[in-house]
Amino acid sequence: MTDLNSLKYTDEHEWVALDGDIATVGITDYAADKLGDVVFVELPAVDSSVTAATVVGEIESTKSVGELYAPLTGVVVEANDAVVDDPSLVNSDPFGEGWLVKLRVEASDVAQLLDRDAYVALTGGDQ
């Protein structure tokens, strides 16, 4: 189980786990629950540059289509092909096997993101 307090969050309901200069990004369980059953995921290509707060992908569910935003500026070093092949991983394991992309970022940029308490407050106390 991922320590949710060690992650950083965005107001677009994404989580970020930093390991050196590599940020693993996914959507939160709150976002996955609000989307409903995820049926399609489109991710940015490896080696593409992304800019914080811009749309870099798409997540479609039985309820709606959501946009995936880059939480940080960086370069995509890995995209989770398992999620593209089996989008339900976003619902079943959003903080584990359902991760979306890994970005090479400036580690100092992570400080601008929300901590767990601020994210829980943003969602009205829901996780």
Side-chain angles (χ1 to χ4, degrees):
M1 176 69 188
T2 302
D3 176 9
L4 302 183
N5 291 317
S6 69
L7 302 176
K8 294 292 190 173
Y9 301 87
T10 72
D11 56 6
E12 296 294 339
H13 307 290
E14 293 150 346
W15 58 265
V16 176
L18 191 66
D19 183 11
D21 66 347
I22 302 298
T24 301
V25 179
I27 66 168
T28 65
D29 51 350
Y30 176 86
D33 182 58
K34 294 295 182 198
L35 277 170
D37 294 333
V38 175
V39 297
F40 176 79
V41 176
E42 178 183 85
L43 300 174
V46 172
D47 293 328
S48 61
S49 295
V50 297
T51 303
T54 62
V55 175
V56 297
E58 188 173 278
I59 301 172
E60 292 183 22
S61 73
T62 55
K63 290 182 183 178
S64 67
V65 175
E67 294 176 325
L68 174 64
Y69 291 86
L72 300 162
T73 296
V75 175
V76 178
V77 295
E78 189 175 350
N80 188 352
D81 291 333
V83 166
V84 173
D85 294 339
D86 182 6
S88 69
L89 289 171
V90 173
N91 295 109
S92 63
D93 193 10
F95 294 107
E97 294 298 314
W99 64 272
L100 300 174
V101 293
K102 293 186 180 186
L103 307 173
R104 177 166 284 111
V105 299
E106 291 293 326
S108 59
D109 290 348
V110 175
Q112 69 191 356
L113 301 177
L114 305 171
D115 64 14
R116 183 71 182 166
D117 290 340
Y119 181 71
V120 169
L122 173 76
T123 61
D126 289 335
Q127 299 197 42

